[in-house]
């Protein structure tokens, strides 16, 4: 698992180990955190390999031995420039891990004859003119704007994955993850749910960029992990692109108000300038995941926020 020390990757490592697998977690902790996987460190079925995926894997591949499944979740993922963990502050690293990094892992998949899963993103749809977004939509992306390092990085990563699939027959699938939240997000990652919850808990102003009428749909991490597992392990997913997310679309203002009420916070809601290329709408069409994987999210926004608030109160 590349990116196993991150938010989604650490949940996936735990799930895979719970189901009896041996997991090699490769991470350089550029945006992840060792605390996410501390509970696994003494587990004999877990091995941490600290390595930059953007550099060749020759030095580590013999340590892995056989590998049957390769999950590629390694990439900075937060768009908020104010966070040190944002891809906007790691522009070159983000482009490299989605190009060289993807290439390196695909070479390993080819050599080990392993199944490959790329964690792509709804950001490949850019600022969509179509809503909800089906997998067949090609997107509306600014190729050189501030967010392009991530959006175009992931688009390149998708192209590289399918080039290996077509040219070498690598058994590969791409999932496009829509906003996901839950315990073990980093408090300072600047993503909207973490920011709102932590501002509300500390009674600090809750920052909304723009009017707050822009929409997002949030998927609880437990549901996302189930979707990722099904995308990798269900027959017939080779060569497929699958949206994974929760279609329950809400405005940012509505989410801020919900979090404020659930925390019982005295915070005031303040507005700041909307960042460049911030999408106005985001809602997955998950018809394909429902039909192909028999998957749909189960956890409501209210339940998921409750569990996430509980987590952040404890850390
Ligand atoms: N969380 C979301 O809402 C969301 C939405 C869409 C897509 N995704 C994708 O899912 C994946 C996981 O996202 P996340 O939210 O867990 O982010 P995260 O930042 O918590 O996890 C990414 C992990 O990758 C590691 N990493 C980055 N570059 C690396 C490199 N060169 N070598 C080794 N490790 C490296 C980081 O240290 C981190 O542990 C990412 O690829 C992201 O683009 C996430």
């Amino acid at each position: 698992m590349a990116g196993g020390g991150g938010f989604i990757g650490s949940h996936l490592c735990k799930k895979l180990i719970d189901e009896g697998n041996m997991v090699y977690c490769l991470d350089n902790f550029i945006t992840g955190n060792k605390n996410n996987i501390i509970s696994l460190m003494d587990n004999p079925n877990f091995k941490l390999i600290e390595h930059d995926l953007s550099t060749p894997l020759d030095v580590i591949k013999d340590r892995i031995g056989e590998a049957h499944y390769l999950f590629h979740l390694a990439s900075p993922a937060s768009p908020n420039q104010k966070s040190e963990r944002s891809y906007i502050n790691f522009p070159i690293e983000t482009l490299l891990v989605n190009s060289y990094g993807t290439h390196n892992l695909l070479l390993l998949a080819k050599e080990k004859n392993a199944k490959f899963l790329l964690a792509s993103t709804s950001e490949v749809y850019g600022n969509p003119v179509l809503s909800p977004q089906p997998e067949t939509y090609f997107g509306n992306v600014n190729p050189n704007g501030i967010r392009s390092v991530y959006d175009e990085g992931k688009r390149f990563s998708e192209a590289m994955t399918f080039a290996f699939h077509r040219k070498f027959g690598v058994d590969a699938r791409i999932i496009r993850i829509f906003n996901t939240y839950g315990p073990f997000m980093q408090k300072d990652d600047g993503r909207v749910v973490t920011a709102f919850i932590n501002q509300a808990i500390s009674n600090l102003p809750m920052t909304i960029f723009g009017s707050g009428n822009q929409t997002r749909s949030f998927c609880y991490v437990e549901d996302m992990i189930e979707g990722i597992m099904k995308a990798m392990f269900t027959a017939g997913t080779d060569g497929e692109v699958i949206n994974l997310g929760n279609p329950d679309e809400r405005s940012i203002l509505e989410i801020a108000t919900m979090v404020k009420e659930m925390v019982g916070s005295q915070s005031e809601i303040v507005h700041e300038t909307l960042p460049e290329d911030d999408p106005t709408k985001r809602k997955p069409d998950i018809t394909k995941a429902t039909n192909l994987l028999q998957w749909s999210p189960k956890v409501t926004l209210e339940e998921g926020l409750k569990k996430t608030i509980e987590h952040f109160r404890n850390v």
Side-chain angles (χ1 to χ4, degrees), residues 183-213:
F184 296 103
M185 292 179 90
Q186 295 305 302
K187 203 173 166 180
D188 60 350
D189 69 9
R191 290 189 249 192
V192 64
V193 171
T194 8
F196 284 163
I197 293 179
N198 287 295
Q199 288 166 337
I201 289 175
S202 314
N203 290 312
L204 290 168
M206 294 171 72
T207 325
I208 289 187
F209 296 104
S211 65
N213 292 328

Side-chain angles (χ1 to χ4, degrees), residues 206-222:
M206 294 171 72
T207 325
I208 289 187
F209 296 104
S211 65
N213 292 328
Q214 68 272 36
T215 66
R216 296 291 184 271
S217 31
F218 288 94
C219 185
Y220 188 62
V221 67
E222 223 171 86

Side-chain angles (χ1 to χ4, degrees), residues 6-253:
F7 159 51
I8 300 179
S10 60
H11 282 275
L12 194 55
C13 286
K14 287 167 200 163
K15 178 75 175 173
L16 286 163
I17 286 176
D18 281 352
E19 302 218 335
N21 298 287
M22 169 86 204
V23 175
Y24 289 87
C25 164
L26 183 150
D27 208 299
N28 66 351
F29 297 100
I30 185 170
T31 54
N33 191 328
K34 278 192 191 158
N35 281 334
N36 291 349
I37 45 170
I38 205 149
S39 64
L40 298 176
M41 289 300 194
D42 294 330
N43 191 313
N45 287 331
F46 180 79
K47 298 271 179 290
L48 173 63
I49 300 174
E50 281 190 60
H51 185 83
D52 181 348
L53 182 64
S54 305
T55 65
L57 300 182
D58 298 343
V59 284
I60 57 135
K61 70 182 181 200
D62 293 337
R63 280 168 62 191
I64 298 176
E66 270 185 57
H68 303 289
Y69 303 96
L70 295 177
F71 294 85
H72 181 4
L73 277 78
S75 172
S78 167
N80 187 341
Q81 192 166 8
K82 289 191 175 159
S83 163
E84 274 182 27
R85 296 174 195 271
S86 167
Y87 57 72
I88 293 174
N89 297 318
F90 290 118
I92 312 298
E93 292 84 348
T94 302
L95 284 165
L96 290 180
V97 75
N98 283 295
S99 51
Y100 282 123
T102 305
H103 183 243
N104 289 336
L105 209 57
L106 280 161
L107 284 174
L108 192 68
K110 178 171 166 267
E111 188 181 318
K112 305 252 178 202
N113 202 16
K115 293 192 179 191
F116 183 88
L117 177 144
L118 171 69
S120 183
T121 170
S122 56
E123 299 294 328
V124 300
Y125 299 124
N127 192 1
V129 294
L130 195 67
S131 194
Q133 296 88 52
E135 291 86 350
T136 46
Y137 178 50
F138 291 167
N140 176 30
V141 175
N142 178 344
N144 52 31
I146 194 163
R147 296 170 74 117
S148 63
V149 295
Y150 185 66
D151 303 5
E152 292 293 2
K154 288 288 183 179
R155 288 167 73 98
F156 182 91
S157 202
E158 288 201 11
M160 180 72 84
T161 300
F162 272 18
F164 268 72
H165 170 71
R166 291 189 190 103
K167 189 162 171 75
F168 303 117
V170 169
D171 186 326
R173 71 274 302 119
I174 294 169
I175 53 164
R176 293 192 180 138
I177 301 179
F178 285 65
N179 289 64
T180 300
Y181 70 100
F184 296 103
M185 292 179 90
Q186 295 305 302
K187 203 173 166 180
D188 60 350
D189 69 9
R191 290 189 249 192
V192 64
V193 171
T194 8
F196 284 163
I197 293 179
N198 287 295
Q199 288 166 337
I201 289 175
S202 314
N203 290 312
L204 290 168
M206 294 171 72
T207 325
I208 289 187
F209 296 104
S211 65
N213 292 328
Q214 68 272 36
T215 66
R216 296 291 184 271
S217 31
F218 288 94
C219 185
Y220 188 62
V221 67
E222 223 171 86
D223 282 329
M224 181 55 61
I225 296 301
E226 197 202 331
I228 298 176
M229 296 283 285
K230 286 192 162 179
M232 180 61 111
F233 298 115
T234 304
T237 55
D238 181 18
E240 297 293 342
V241 179
I242 309 164
N243 282 341
L244 293 179
N246 191 325
D248 178 14
E249 186 181 20
R250 312 274 184 127
S251 76
I252 294 292
L253 184 60

